[in-house]
Amino acid sequence: MSTFALDPYLAGVAARVEAELREAAREGARGGPARLWEAISYALLAGGKRLRPALVCATAEAFGGDTGEGSLPLRFAASLEMIHTYSLVHDDLPSMDDDDLRRGRPTVHKAFDEATAVLAGDALQSLAFEHLLAGPPDDGRAPRLAVVLASGATRMVEGQSLDLQAETVPPGLEGVLDLQRRKTGALLAASVVGGAIAATGGDQGLGPAGLKLGLAFQIADDLLDLTATTADLGKRAGKDAAAGKATLPALLGVEEARRRADDYCEEALQAFAGLGERAEALRALARFVVSRRK
Ligand code: GRG
């Protein structure tokens, strides 16, 4: 049983990445339209677990990378969190999931207005690449990371499109896994692959493990939608079941879905097994993906 103290680790990554996000938003706001940048800051600095940045940093550290202030892994982590945040802002829009609560606060289109939420999401997407590529020159890792980020973001949009189609044409188990691999798995895979590239220049073959973590994360999310409260989640609970959404718990039942999430997590852990003590945080994060309560 691991004794790794995950809460302080997550808090440390959150503090470092939020300092970088705050600075990027402050820089961007200089001379830009106040309302747009207020909405961007509102979305970026509303908390959240910062799981993807933690995965980036933990993977980089597993290969001996520095994840302190000014490091490439931290820069990539902040860019990835910008992409993730844009996806949440757009996913909450009336034309998508039509949600009024996110990270315990009114969604961006509720706190501001719909057009501002669309534009804030758009700007976050381009800001992510500007932030990543405007750093100090390196040996070509930043452009490679930009490709990882772009590809993860494109897969995520594909997943969202498949998710919308699934409302009218039931996708079946393989279809659900395919859409979840894209919608959720792609950014989690980009986190571990990007952490490895930022630290070593190569992906270290971590893509498949990242996708498994993504599936485990999404199944855990679908289980939480059934069992957790809106207050715990900071977003409306029970929405997927009410909408009759095709999820693994809906298709296979709660017990089998939980078993599959644990299996995917175990398979990811096996991929990290050879990484030694420096990968303790990464292994603890993999377990957190399925054990989390929010
Ligand atoms: C609209 C372009 C576009 C994409 C939407 C990621 C996504 C695709 C939609 C968000 C809603 C959703 C259920 C996504 C699945 C992944 C997921 C559970 C995201 C929430 O991630 P957390 O729990 O959020 O890490 P925090 O707030 O902790 O960062």
Side-chain angles (χ1 to χ4, degrees), residues 59-61 63-66 72-73 138-148 192-206:
T59 310
E61 289 159 14
F63 291 97
D66 166 30
L72 182 60
D138 62 22
D139 60 359
R141 292 181 195 191
R144 252 174 286 156
L145 289 169
V147 174
V148 169
V192 292
V193 165
I197 292 175
T200 70
D203 69 11
Q204 307 295 333
L206 288 181

Side-chain angles (χ1 to χ4, degrees), residues 49 52 84 86-87 91 103 160 183-184 217-218 221:
K49 293 179 286 299
R52 293 153 192 80
H84 169 58
Y86 121 70
S87 82
D91 186 61
R103 292 174 165 173
Q160 179 77 347
K183 187 175 92 165
T184 311
F217 179 88
Q218 183 59 57
D221 210 69

Side-chain angles (χ1 to χ4, degrees), residues 47-52 81 84 86-92 96-97 102-103 153 156-157 159-160 163 183-184 187 217-218 221-222 233 235 240 245 292 294:
K49 293 179 286 299
R50 310 301 193 193
L51 173 67
R52 293 153 192 80
E81 190 67 8
H84 169 58
Y86 121 70
S87 82
L88 300 180
V89 172
H90 280 191
D91 186 61
D92 290 335
M96 302 255 185
D97 263 12
R102 170 70 67 182
R103 292 174 165 173
M156 176 184 76
V157 172
Q160 179 77 347
D163 205 20
K183 187 175 92 165
T184 311
L187 278 201
F217 179 88
Q218 183 59 57
D221 210 69
D222 294 334
L233 296 178
K235 61 182 180 181
D240 293 347
K245 203 161 188 165
R292 67 200 171 94
K294 59 179 186 168

